[in-house]
Amino acid sequence: DLRRRGVRQQLLLEISARMNMLQHPEEVYALLCRESTELLSADCGCLYWNDARQRTLYRLAEYNLPEDSFPIAHGEGVIGKVAESGEALLVEEYAAWPGRLRRARETPPPYSALGVPVLWQGAVQAVLVVFSRRKERTFSNEDKDLLALLAHLASGVMANTRLLEQESRQRRLSDSLRRTTLMLNASLELEQVYDHLL
């Protein structure tokens, strides 16, 4: 048991290091889905971004799931319940669970599900979920703790990638404004000024 825990801790460190090396948010999200699914010997996984103002979640990435997705409201299915409560949720018999998402296209539905919040500064930024289609592979409280730890490691990386993306967008906007100002100042003809402005 100690050896297995040690191996899992080592894997978490390696996953964290790989996420830190990536610079594009989509790559971080895809890696997080794939690695969490494989780390827990699950069959598939996904990551949903939480729009707290609209109380709706949107898929950012998936692993071994159909690419088509739809928004999920707070309180709806495992993903919505985790976003609403801010707590991890473990569902052993998903098909019989009254709160299961009935519009999901996966047939048959997964056997068990495990969802955890990705928290940043006390708020749910995203929800990470893994599913098992096999009856012999149900998730445990240890799995829940491990996935929560992975989500915690990912939260800082996700925040950093978002900050880098915002900084890059601001830099492009500043460059565009500088170029436009130079062009406007270089022309004395009103028609050219209008053309440059457009």
Side-chain angles (χ1 to χ4, degrees):
D1 190 44
L2 285 173
R3 188 178 302 120
R4 185 169 47 85
R5 286 183 188 190
V7 167
R8 281 185 160 187
Q9 292 293 340
Q10 184 62 36
L11 285 172
L12 280 174
L13 290 172
E14 289 174 16
I15 292 168
S16 179
R18 274 183 270 170
M19 280 192 293
N20 277 309
M21 289 189 319
L22 299 173
Q23 293 188 356
H24 299 290
E26 298 79 24
E27 293 174 338
V28 173
Y29 307 149
L31 178 77
L32 181 59
C33 287
R34 185 181 70 242
E35 294 294 342
S36 58
T37 301
E38 291 176 358
L39 184 67
L40 292 175
S41 300
D43 295 306
C44 51
C46 56
L47 180 70
Y48 273 74
W49 177 254
N50 181 30
D51 183 340
R53 271 191 253 154
Q54 294 189 7
R55 298 182 49 80
T56 305
L57 295 111
Y58 302 93
R59 191 188 288 182
L60 290 174
E62 70 284 322
Y63 180 70
N64 280 347
L65 279 173
E67 287 187 19
D68 58 329
S69 66
F70 47 85
I72 296 175
H74 278 210
E76 190 177 40
V78 172
I79 295 161
K81 295 246 186 249
V82 171
E84 189 173 63
S85 69
E87 301 286 328
L89 178 60
L90 172 59
V91 179
E92 288 187 14
E93 292 185 38
Y94 185 78
W97 183 53
R100 88 177 167 99
L101 199 59
R102 304 212 183 269
R103 346 178 233 156
R105 292 183 177 88
E106 198 164 354
T107 317
Y111 184 76
S112 60
L114 172 60
V116 296
V118 179
L119 301 170
W120 181 251
Q121 297 178 341
V124 178
Q125 297 298 310
V127 175
L128 177 62
V129 183
V130 291
F131 298 98
S132 172
R133 296 183 180 112
R134 296 162 286 145
K135 193 172 184 175
E136 65 275 7
R137 176 55 180 125
T138 57
F139 300 112
S140 66
N141 283 326
E142 184 184 338
D143 293 327
K144 183 168 70 171
D145 293 342
L146 186 64
L147 193 61
L149 183 56
L150 183 58
H152 177 71
L153 292 171
S155 67
V157 176
M158 288 172 65
N160 287 340
T161 56
R162 280 196 307 277
L163 287 172
L164 287 171
E165 189 178 20
Q166 287 172 351
E167 182 184 320
S168 175
R169 203 174 10 226
Q170 287 288 18
R171 195 177 314 116
R172 286 193 306 270
L173 178 62
S174 295
D175 287 345
S176 177
L177 287 172
R178 184 183 53 76
R179 282 193 313 273
T180 303
T181 303
L182 287 172
M183 284 190 281
L184 290 173
N185 287 332
S187 179
L188 296 174
E189 297 291 323
L190 194 56
E191 204 165 300
Q192 282 183 332
V193 170
Y194 290 152
D195 285 343
H196 286 313
L197 192 57
L198 286 173

